[in-house]
DNA sequence: TCAAAAGTGTTTGCAATACACCCATGC
DNA sequence: GCATGGGTGTATTGCAAACACTTTTGA
């Protein structure tokens, strides 16, 4: 909110629901603001858009400014326009969800932000404005999207085990999956490349590492994601 | 655009892609404006939102004002925010799609509108602004939605034949469907109530009429549309 | 009696599900 | 040697897809 100098559009904001996979569960990134109206309360990272940037660009900039998060997968979710959703005046907000691998990003609070942390998605109730609704809608969309787009990969490190991937899917859709059936399906998509590498330092049989076939993925995107988990 | 008196928000608009099923194909409602910047060109019905109305309300009002269309199914599609999408100044627009039965609505051009007509979806290329993109995105979303939500019914009269319904589905998804398989699937959803009525005045065997089980539909909406065509 | 669309079942293949044991590793 | 998660195959079921003829009606 320190962009008056840069010609911001004061009735249009962007809010981002950043999902990350940490501690074997799905978490969401919240920040604390320095200033009112939500000084010292955990909330979704958000901000006003600038006169000369697109909505996507605004989302990217806001994430970088508030929490030092870059180079992410973004998807527009919904635009929230309840008349009184913002207390001071009419502000409509465009909600995005973003997916990142928390290991790749050290969270540094940025401009106008005092803190940035990961929270379990179930522990976020009571956020200001309509942020609870926004998170909810983003979660619903993530659950849909993950079945038709291989975006789950965005949340994992480059090399991962099949069990990692399965746990990720389970934590998104909130259901237990059968190990053998999951492996069959996910390998049949042809999007995984098995590596000649294995886990190290685990006190049980070391799992094989896989990476994601970026080339096939790009093709799939062009063909409208014609696959399903 | 005649609402300056009513405190409109001049950088936020709503555009509506209204689909109707006419002449056994999917059509879309376009209007002609009286004034610039798009005087006398066919375009999507749209307008600025008022300071005291939600986005959904704006969509409803705009459809009523421009084309006398009421009581419709609405779904938010996407928000378009390219910096130069509107020539004069920065305007971000929230796109909706709407479904109506054209028989139920006589199109009357309304405020600031000189004409309102139905067009085949394939004949609409060359609309002003980013309306081509908006239509495209709405069509994609309609195709997705129709498989998981029984919104196809919104496009039909109360009583209809199974062949009507099948033709509707075919025109939305753009593929031919097998008659027997379609009937099996659609009847298995339990959303159709067969009536003791038949077509009249047709020069071939009269088809049975069905109506839609509103009660079951409402339940389904609550349960997150857990069915699939 | 002809034309035009309505209505109706069965077979086949594939994909989803359910399910249990041995393997490798570190301690 | 024991605890821990890794890794693997088969049998069953249900759903999707392909497919053609008889019925009814109006002209």
């Amino acid at each position: 909110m320190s962009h008056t100098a840069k010609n911001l559009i004061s009735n249009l904001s962007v809010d981002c629901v950043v999902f990350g996979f940490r501690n074997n569960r799905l978490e969401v990134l919240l920040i604390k603001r320095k200033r009112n109206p939500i000084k010292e309360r955990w909330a979704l990272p958000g901000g006003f858009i600038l006169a000369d940037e697109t909505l996507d660009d605004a989302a990217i900039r806001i994430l970088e400014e508030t929490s030092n998060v870059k180079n992410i997968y973004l998807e527009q979710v919904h635009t929230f326009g309840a008349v009184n959703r913002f207390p001071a005046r009419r502000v409509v907000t465009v909600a995005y969800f973003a997916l990142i691998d928390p290991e790749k990003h050290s969270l540094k609070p940025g401009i106008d932000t005092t803190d940035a942390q990961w929270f379990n998605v179930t522990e976020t109730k009571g956020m200001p404005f309509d942020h609870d609704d926004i998170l909810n809608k983003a979660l619903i969309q993530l659950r849909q999207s993950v079945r038709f787009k291989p975006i789950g990969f965005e949340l994992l490190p480059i090399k991962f085990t099949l069990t990692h991937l399965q746990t990720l899917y389970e934590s998104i859709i909130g259901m237990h999956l059968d190990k053998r059936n999951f492996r069959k399906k996910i390998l049949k998509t042809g999007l995984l490349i098995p590596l000649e590498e294995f886990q190290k330092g685990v006190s049980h049989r070391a799992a094989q590492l896989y990476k994601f076939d970026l080339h096939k993925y790009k093709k799939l995107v062009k063909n409208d994601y014609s696959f399903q988990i």
Side-chain angles (χ1 to χ4, degrees), chain A residues 75-114:
Chain A
E75 205 172 295
Q76 197 190 106
V77 174
H78 190 82
T79 297
F80 292 79
V83 176
N84 296 310
R85 56 170 296 285
F86 192 82
R89 60 182 190 277
R90 183 78 193 273
V91 177
V92 170
T93 197
V94 183
Y96 278 80
F97 80 68
L99 302 179
I100 69 170
D101 171 14
E103 301 303 312
K104 288 194 201 128
H105 299 269
S106 61
L107 298 184
K108 280 184 240 158
I111 299 170
D112 191 33
T113 312
T114 58

Side-chain angles (χ1 to χ4, degrees), chain A residues 10 43 55 57 62 71 77-78 116 131 149 152 156 191-192:
Chain A
S10 65
L55 302 172
D57 288 344
I62 286 163
N71 193 21
V77 174
H78 190 82
H131 284 192
K149 312 182 189 179
L156 289 177
L191 288 167
L192 292 184

Side-chain angles (χ1 to χ4, degrees), chain A residues 17-30 98-100 102 107 117-124 135 139 142 155 168 171-172:
Chain A
V17 181
V18 183
F19 292 109
F21 187 58
R22 258 177 36 118
N23 308 322
N24 271 347
R25 59 179 195 223
L26 191 67
E27 303 203 333
V28 62
L29 173 64
L30 302 185
L99 302 179
I100 69 170
L107 298 184
Q117 277 186 34
W118 290 105
F119 290 82
N120 189 325
V121 283
T122 57
E123 292 166 351
T124 60
L135 171 58
L139 199 50
L142 172 62
L155 291 155
L168 169 61
S171 68
I172 291 176

Side-chain angles (χ1 to χ4, degrees), chain A residues 43-168:
Chain A
L44 297 175
F48 295 101
I49 69 170
L50 302 179
D52 60 352
E53 75 185 347
T54 65
L55 302 172
D56 290 17
D57 288 344
I60 291 165
R61 173 182 55 79
I62 286 163
L63 286 179
E64 199 167 333
E65 284 181 2
T66 57
S67 34
N68 192 40
V69 160
K70 298 173 207 179
N71 193 21
I72 43 163
Y73 177 88
L74 263 187
E75 205 172 295
Q76 197 190 106
V77 174
H78 190 82
T79 297
F80 292 79
V83 176
N84 296 310
R85 56 170 296 285
F86 192 82
R89 60 182 190 277
R90 183 78 193 273
V91 177
V92 170
T93 197
V94 183
Y96 278 80
F97 80 68
L99 302 179
I100 69 170
D101 171 14
E103 301 303 312
K104 288 194 201 128
H105 299 269
S106 61
L107 298 184
K108 280 184 240 158
I111 299 170
D112 191 33
T113 312
T114 58
D115 206 350
Q117 277 186 34
W118 290 105
F119 290 82
N120 189 325
V121 283
T122 57
E123 292 166 351
T124 60
K125 290 277 167 343
M127 291 187 290
F129 315 135
D130 50 0
H131 284 192
D132 289 345
D133 298 335
I134 293 174
L135 171 58
N136 216 272
K137 189 106 181 171
L139 199 50
I140 290 171
Q141 184 161 328
L142 172 62
R143 285 186 180 136
Q144 294 285 329
S145 285
V146 84
R147 299 194 50 219
F148 299 98
K149 312 182 189 179
I151 53 183
F153 302 103
E154 307 280 348
L155 291 155
L156 289 177
I158 294 172
K159 301 174 185 180
F160 51 85
T161 70
L162 295 183
T163 303
H164 275 147
L165 188 59
Q166 182 177 344
T167 314
L168 169 61

